[in-house]
């Protein structure tokens, strides 16, 4: 049985002392970042500055060099070179490469130094090292050796506020760990148990609306997806953080798609399409990770997370095309494709969350392949219900390094979802602009006047990692959301 891992695996300490040879000897490895195209004589003095500069001049391309242990140098030094005009994404990408090279030496303590002082690059290096230190679930008979890496020491002329970086790392680690669990280790029942354990650990309120409770509320869309399973363990988990001191009354609602395995239902996926579908619950994991980060930051506003947890199985009771079901808000839905189960599960969950009239509603879902077709796995797609939120989405994506791009969501798209027998179709038979149609469908279940951001997690998995994250599962969304809230008047 899997239990929750330690999510903050490295300790961070900061010093304003200069980096000298004596300090170097207290480390097991050092990460140094300097500006590109700067001669050593123009850099502040630090150990092996001239050697690094000489090697840099000899390089034809690339942005990393390694100074191996030799002579007076007691440890490996990994040096990176950054364009002063680099974007946050580019800085995080460089930091990921630096972290990977550094951890090859199995250090226990890693020093970080930017020359000259570069707050953004220092933060990126800390974020990347924290992500690289965390291990995803493993079930190999031969157990990996315990990680030696336990401490980061930042040499910087002034103290940086890195609380948000550390909180985001813990939240991202949770999101990646949950997503990495195989479907037989993360059934809806086991997921509920882990969330309850997490709630007890973090001091959250916890409620689980099981199928019986959801039937009473008329959540026919969610239950249509769940009915194909032979287990009656599906439900909507409601986790609540409440600040210890009276603060802002504006509440944030986070909604996540938690399909623990997606066969496609009666419209069965092929083998290639079904492989990896244990990760179709990543949206709920990101919502839980974001809640964790916010509560560890002790934000002064209430936060609710609503997680739609089920499996989309094939079986004699699975829902079928052309059936008509009634959602929690009374909307009747004609089923067109049973592999569009995410929007079904989310519809009732959004209705529940938005009834509470939060100041902002954000949902996360690995929802459509068409979003990946449009943006690749480098960006995540978004749809909002206001132009102002669209602008904020772009700005927060750029600033956080978790890049997001909004799609249009004009009302005339609804014509594609008109049904002859119900209030709406679930989707169309084709896949043209499905990411937009899915969002237009979901918008029917968001209460009027509730600000809403929908994230279709096309960047939830990216081969080789993305930005500062080294694993294919990226946990995308936690860092973005913290940045977005920092810029949102109701929560900043």
């Amino acid at each position: 049985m899997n239990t929750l891992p330690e999510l903050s695996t490295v300790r961070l300490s900061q010093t304003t002392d200069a980096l000298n040879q004596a300090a170097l000897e207290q480390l097991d490895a050092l990460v140094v970042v300097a500006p590109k195209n700067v001669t050593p004589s123009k850099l502040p003095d630090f150990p092996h500055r001239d050697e690094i500069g000489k090697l840099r001049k000899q390089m034809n391309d690339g942005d990393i060099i390694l100074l191996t242990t030799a002579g007076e140098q007691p440890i490996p030094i990994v040096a990176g070179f950054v364009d002063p005009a680099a974007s946050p994404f580019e800085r995080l990408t460089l930091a990921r490469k630096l972290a990977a090279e550094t951890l090859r030496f199995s250090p226990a303590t890693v020093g970080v130094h930017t020359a000259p002082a570069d707050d953004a690059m220092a933060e990126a290096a800390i974020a990347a090292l924290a992500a690289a230190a965390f291990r995803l679930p493993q079930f190999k008979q031969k157990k990996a050796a315990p990680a030696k890496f336990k401490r980061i020491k930042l040499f910087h002329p002034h103290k940086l506020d890195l609380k948000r970086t550390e909180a985001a790392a813990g939240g991202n680690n949770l999101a990646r760990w949950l997503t990495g669990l195989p479907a037989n280790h993360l059934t809806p029942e086991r997921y509920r148990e882990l969330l309850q354990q997490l709630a007890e650990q973090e001091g959250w309120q916890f409620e689980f609306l099981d199928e019986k409770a959801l039937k009473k509320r008329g959540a026919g869309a969610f239950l249509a997806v769940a009915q194909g399973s032979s287990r009656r363990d599906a439900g909507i988990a409601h986790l609540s953080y409440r600040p210890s001191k009276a603060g802002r009354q504006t509440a944030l609602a986070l909604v996540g798609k938690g399909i623990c395995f997606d066969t496609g239902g009666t419209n069965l996926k092929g083998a290639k399409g079904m492989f990896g579908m244990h990760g179709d619950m990543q949206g709920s994991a990101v919502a839980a990770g974001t809640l964790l980060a916010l509560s560890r930051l002790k934000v002064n506003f209430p936060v609710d997370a609503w997680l739609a947890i089920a499996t989309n199985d094939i079986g004699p009771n699975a829902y079928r095309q052309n059936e008509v079901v009634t959602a929690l808000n009374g909307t009747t839905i004609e089923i067109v494709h049973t592999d569009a189960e995410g929007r079904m599960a989310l519809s009732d969950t959004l209705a529940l969350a938005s009834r509470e009239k939060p100041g902002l509603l954000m949902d996360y879902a690995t929802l459509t392949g068409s979003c990946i077709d449009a943006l690749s796995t480098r960006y995540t797609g978004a749809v909002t219900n206001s132009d102002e939120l669209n602008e904020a989405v772009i700005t927060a994506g750029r600033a956080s390094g978790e890049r997001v791009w909004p799609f249009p969501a004009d009302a005339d798209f609804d014509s594609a979802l008109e049904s002859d027998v119900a209030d709406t179709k679930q989707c169309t038979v084709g896949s043209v602009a499905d990411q937009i149609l899915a969002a237009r469908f979901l918008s029917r279940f968001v209460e009027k006047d509730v600000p809403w951001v929908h994230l279709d997690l096309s960047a939830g998995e990216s081969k080789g990692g993305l930005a500062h994250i080294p694993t294919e599962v990226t946990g995308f969304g936690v860092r973005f959301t913290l940045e977005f809230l920092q810029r949102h008047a109701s929560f900043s």
Side-chain angles (χ1 to χ4, degrees):
M1 276 294 216
N2 289 91
T3 58
L4 289 168
E6 173 56 49
L7 297 170
S8 300
T9 53
V10 289
R11 289 170 45 225
L12 171 65
S13 63
Q14 299 188 55
T15 178
T16 56
D17 295 340
L19 175 63
N20 53 34
Q21 193 67 31
L24 201 65
E25 292 171 3
Q26 303 302 310
L27 306 173
D28 299 306
L30 175 69
V31 173
V32 174
V33 187
K36 283 185 176 180
N37 304 321
V38 175
T39 58
S41 62
K42 293 184 179 179
L43 294 175
D45 189 33
F46 60 91
H48 305 283
R49 179 194 68 178
D50 293 338
E51 292 170 78
I52 290 170
K54 185 182 295 184
L55 287 170
R56 174 62 183 165
K57 284 183 178 180
Q58 296 170 4
M59 293 172 65
N60 293 321
D61 196 13
D63 49 16
I64 291 178
I65 58 173
L66 172 64
L67 197 63
T68 54
T69 53
E72 295 180 0
Q73 180 200 325
I75 62 168
I77 298 175
V78 182
F81 302 90
V82 63
D83 185 336
S87 68
F89 175 81
E90 290 167 332
R91 289 175 187 273
L92 288 166
T93 301
L94 172 61
R96 181 183 84 233
K97 296 175 183 178
L98 290 165
E101 184 67 26
T102 303
L103 296 192
R104 284 198 307 110
F105 296 94
S106 300
T109 301
V110 174
V112 173
H113 176 61
T114 60
D118 182 335
D119 292 2
M121 195 62 230
E123 190 276 335
I126 301 301
L129 285 165
F134 185 73
R135 291 182 174 177
L136 298 190
Q138 281 287 335
F139 299 89
K140 294 184 178 182
Q141 194 171 22
K142 185 178 180 181
K143 301 298 181 184
K148 292 181 181 178
F149 181 35
K150 296 295 182 185
R151 189 181 177 203
I152 302 170
K153 188 169 185 179
L154 175 62
F155 295 86
H156 211 64
H158 55 267
K159 287 279 187 178
L160 297 181
D161 185 357
L162 294 169
K163 291 178 183 176
R164 197 170 82 177
T165 302
E166 293 181 277
N172 176 274
N173 288 344
L174 174 64
R176 287 190 292 146
W177 185 81
L178 287 170
T179 305
L181 289 172
N184 60 328
H185 288 261
L186 193 73
T187 62
E189 180 182 14
R190 183 60 185 141
Y191 201 174
R192 174 182 55 78
E193 292 170 351
L194 286 170
L195 290 171
Q196 191 163 10
Q197 179 186 339
L198 186 63
E200 291 171 359
Q201 174 183 300
E202 301 297 326
W204 303 336
Q205 298 169 24
F206 177 82
E207 178 186 21
F208 191 78
L209 301 172
D210 61 15
E211 291 184 20
K212 185 176 180 181
L214 291 172
K215 188 174 182 179
K216 285 182 180 179
R217 296 183 185 221
F222 178 94
L223 292 171
V225 176
Q227 71 190 37
S229 174
S230 60
R231 302 176 181 179
R232 303 274 57 85
D233 55 358
I236 297 175
H238 180 198
L239 301 155
S240 303
Y241 159 83
R242 295 294 178 263
S244 56
K245 296 180 181 179
R248 295 174 183 264
Q249 296 305 306
T250 306
L252 170 68
L254 309 170
V255 170
K257 174 188 172 185
I259 302 299
C260 295
F261 195 82
D262 179 18
T263 66
T266 53
N267 296 129
L268 192 66
K269 293 177 184 287
K272 185 177 179 181
M274 205 185 301
F275 188 81
M277 280 297 107
H278 64 290
D280 207 20
M281 40 58 65
Q282 186 169 174
S284 63
V286 171
T290 302
L291 176 63
L292 178 70
L294 290 169
S295 65
R296 290 190 172 181
L297 285 171
K298 295 181 170 58
V299 295
N300 67 345
F301 51 86
V303 187
D304 292 283
W306 304 77
L307 313 183
I309 300 172
T311 52
N312 186 27
D313 284 332
I314 186 168
N317 296 319
Y319 77 134
R320 299 163 296 186
Q321 290 174 294
N322 297 117
E323 292 185 351
V324 175
V325 300
T326 303
L328 190 143
N329 70 350
T331 300
T332 56
I333 304 167
E334 180 185 5
I335 307 305
V336 173
H337 202 305
T338 63
D339 198 18
E341 86 299 330
R343 67 201 76 184
M344 299 291 287
L346 284 173
S347 59
D348 284 335
T349 314
L350 286 168
L352 281 171
S354 64
R355 280 182 179 179
E356 303 294 324
K357 297 293 183 182
L360 177 66
L361 173 59
M362 302 184 73
D363 80 75
Y364 312 83
T366 48
L367 203 62
T368 67
S370 60
C371 195
I372 297 175
D373 292 340
L375 293 175
S376 80
T377 62
R378 296 174 182 272
Y379 269 73
T380 272
V383 168
T384 78
N385 55 4
S386 83
D387 290 339
E388 183 181 346
L389 287 174
N390 279 341
E391 291 298 324
V393 158
I394 295 171
T395 304
R398 286 174 175 161
S400 67
E402 288 192 330
R403 300 171 300 179
V404 180
W405 200 256
F407 288 99
D410 303 277
D412 60 288
F413 281 101
D414 291 346
S415 62
L417 297 176
E418 290 178 1
S419 168
D420 293 334
V421 297
D423 295 327
T424 184
K425 289 179 182 176
Q426 163 211 38
C427 62
T428 60
V429 175
S431 59
V432 175
D434 188 46
Q435 76 277 22
I436 298 173
L437 298 184
R440 285 303 304 174
F441 175 84
L442 292 177
S443 71
R444 298 185 67 117
F445 304 92
V446 177
E447 294 278 330
K448 188 178 179 181
D449 300 326
V450 173
W452 171 56
V453 177
H454 160 66
L455 295 178
D456 192 331
L457 296 173
S458 45
E461 291 185 11
S462 188
K463 192 171 183 179
L466 190 67
H468 59 302
I469 304 299
T471 54
E472 184 169 346
V473 173
T474 66
F476 188 107
V478 178
R479 187 177 169 96
F480 164 81
T481 304
L482 296 187
E483 182 67 36
F484 185 86
L485 295 174
Q486 180 79 7
R487 296 166 178 270
H488 198 291
S490 298
F491 302 99
S492 59

